Amino acid sequence: MNATPRAAAVDHVLISTTAPNRSQVWLAVGVVVSLFAAMAGVAPYASQSLPNTEVLLPAYAAGVLVIELITSALLVSLFHVQRCRAILLLASGYLFSGTLIVPWVLTYPGLFNSFGIDEGLQSTAAIAALRRLGFPLFILAYAVLSERSYAGGSVRLAILGMIAAVAAVVCLTTWLVFSNDRHLPDFMIDARNVGLLWRYIPVLAGLIYLAGMVALSLRFRTILDLWLMVVLVTLLIEVVQISYLGSGVRLGVGWWAGRLFGLASASIVLVVLLSETTAVYTRLARSEAAQRRTRQNRLTAMEALSASIAHEVNQPLASMVTNADAGLRWLDKADPHLDEAKAAMKRIVDEGHRASKIVSSIRTMFMKSARERERLDVNDLIVQVIKASEADARLGRVSVNLDLDRGAPHVIGNAVQLQQVMSNLIDNAVEAMRSVGAGQRTLRLVTRQLDHGDVLVSVEDTGSGLDAAHLERIFDPFFTTKPDGMGMGLMFCRTVIDAHGGRLWAGPNSPRGAAFRFSLPPAINVDTGREEE
């Protein structure tokens, strides 16, 4: 049965389903090397005795208890998400090992005699043997069952059943040990020295550790597999440290070093779970922030789109109103000028079609679908725009100079969009020259082919020029220096030019005014596969 997309997304961030990367593998190798180095450093002093240090055992036991209970709880949470029986079994192992530490420390010879607790010589060793042999068996079972999913009923009932089963086993084991100390095997000679029978426990434990490492290596797939192998290596070092380097003597340097290795082995999976959980939450926080930014960008884009439509359509609408007023004046005369009125009506129709094309062009520009483009002569486009803007230029007393390179190559583009870009730049230039004398208003349009083949278009005016402080912001949406401006015209122009693979920029004109320039890549000759010369 195929996993749902949601389940696949969840599995991608779980340490029990995600493969370790190279850095994690090297980190695990580094941890193992460090552990062996620590063991080698302690080895010369392992047989030295540390008397009267048993008072530290309750703190050690409390640390192991807390760490393994938290690890078990986190693994139970992981099982709740993944529904994998092996994860629940591993959680049982940590719960079993953690709870058994309590009767182990309570039965330690002489530690709690003042409280009336003295369960005999063999109790502590018997519980230690159960912990040492039982926990790696849980890991071995995890390695064998790790691919099997929980197909039973309620997950909560499964978790509660696991907790009840472990608690029952621990309670039964504790009662049997407490009530039958004299019938237990002779693991200890006295309170500090082990008997001959105990020598078999570390050998058997070591074999189980090695079997677990082999089983995990054969199905090594996940981050959890990697660190469980490190756990088993740490437990093996603990056994070597306590039973061989420390000669099995309690409360010696080797014995305490082994306890520290045991504490480290108990902490490894917890540290990995916490670090990976933190990483997951960090990724989720970044993802949420990215989604918020995406939503905000979409809202901004919608605002920009609506403002662009309003800005671009406003020009033909204003022209239609002007022509309608002119037509009415021609008709209101005592001797109506029907030809002039008819021409005004025709201009209204043309502007209506132009508005429709603008709306369609803007919609196309913001869609992901294919855009309608064709081979275009930039010079012809400029001539058409100048003819459409001739009346405004004449009313503004602006002289227009054309310096067009007729040898410039064609470009591939959307004619309506490029015409609208030129119209915006020309309208801005005409408006910028209203503050200078009528005889000084010159609009110059230039086309050239650049050295690398692109076609350059320059719209130059002799107006008041650009404020250097605003030069970097004039293409930002909603930024404008006009009292009644919307700040969308230049943003629209840059968006169009960028969509055509070109570049739009602004700078000062010489000797005064401003110059807006854009470049477009040349069309490719289909027959030769080369750019047009």
Side-chain angles (χ1 to χ4, degrees), residues 410-437:
H410 290 186
V411 299
I412 299 294
N414 184 292
V416 176
Q417 291 179 357
L418 293 178
Q419 284 179 329
Q420 195 61 34
V421 168
M422 296 175 192
S423 178
N424 280 346
L425 297 179
I426 290 172
D427 291 343
N428 287 344
V430 171
E431 186 172 354
M433 289 185 286
R434 290 178 181 174
S435 59
V436 301

Side-chain angles (χ1 to χ4, degrees), residues 68-128:
E68 294 195 334
L69 288 184
I70 294 175
T71 303
S72 179
L74 292 176
L75 289 171
V76 165
S77 301
L78 189 61
F79 165 73
H80 195 277
V81 175
Q82 190 183 349
R83 311 291 177 89
C84 178
R85 287 193 300 174
I87 299 297
L88 186 62
L89 194 61
L90 188 61
S92 304
Y94 274 94
L95 183 61
F96 173 80
S97 177
T99 50
L100 268 184
I101 198 72
V102 176
W104 176 83
V105 73
L106 288 176
T107 58
Y108 195 87
L111 190 59
F112 291 100
N113 286 351
S114 59
F115 295 93
I117 301 176
D118 185 8
E119 295 302 326
L121 187 62
Q122 309 301 332
S123 299
T124 305
I127 295 173

Side-chain angles (χ1 to χ4, degrees), residues 225-367:
D225 297 341
L226 172 67
W227 289 103
L228 284 175
M229 283 193 284
V230 177
V231 168
L232 292 176
V233 171
T234 309
L235 290 174
L236 185 61
I237 293 175
E238 178 191 11
V239 167
V240 172
Q241 191 75 57
I242 293 176
S243 301
Y244 298 103
L245 297 181
S247 302
V249 178
R250 288 176 174 173
L251 304 180
V253 172
W255 190 86
W256 272 113
R259 295 300 165 196
L260 293 178
F261 281 115
L263 190 62
S265 69
S267 306
I268 287 173
V269 172
L270 175 61
V271 171
V272 173
L273 283 167
L274 292 178
S275 62
E276 291 298 322
T277 301
T278 302
V280 168
Y281 277 117
T282 301
R283 290 195 293 268
L284 288 176
R286 290 175 179 172
S287 176
E288 178 65 22
Q291 290 179 359
R292 290 180 181 177
R293 288 194 299 269
T294 300
R295 288 194 293 268
Q296 185 61 39
N297 290 339
R298 288 177 179 174
L299 290 175
T300 303
M302 291 300 295
E303 292 175 358
L305 177 59
S306 59
S308 294
I309 295 174
H311 179 275
E312 301 305 323
V313 174
N314 185 59
Q315 296 180 17
L317 289 179
S319 178
M320 292 168 69
V321 171
T322 301
N323 284 297
D325 287 340
L328 289 174
R329 287 196 300 271
W330 290 118
L331 293 174
D332 285 342
K333 292 182 178 294
D335 183 15
H337 290 237
L338 297 180
D339 291 340
E340 296 291 345
K342 185 176 180 180
M345 297 300 108
K346 185 177 183 304
R347 287 193 295 271
I348 292 175
V349 172
D350 292 340
E351 292 298 330
H353 289 306
R354 178 187 169 199
S356 177
K357 290 181 178 180
I358 289 173
V359 173
S360 177
S361 175
I362 293 177
R363 183 172 64 86
T364 301
M365 182 181 64
F366 283 92
M367 290 174 63

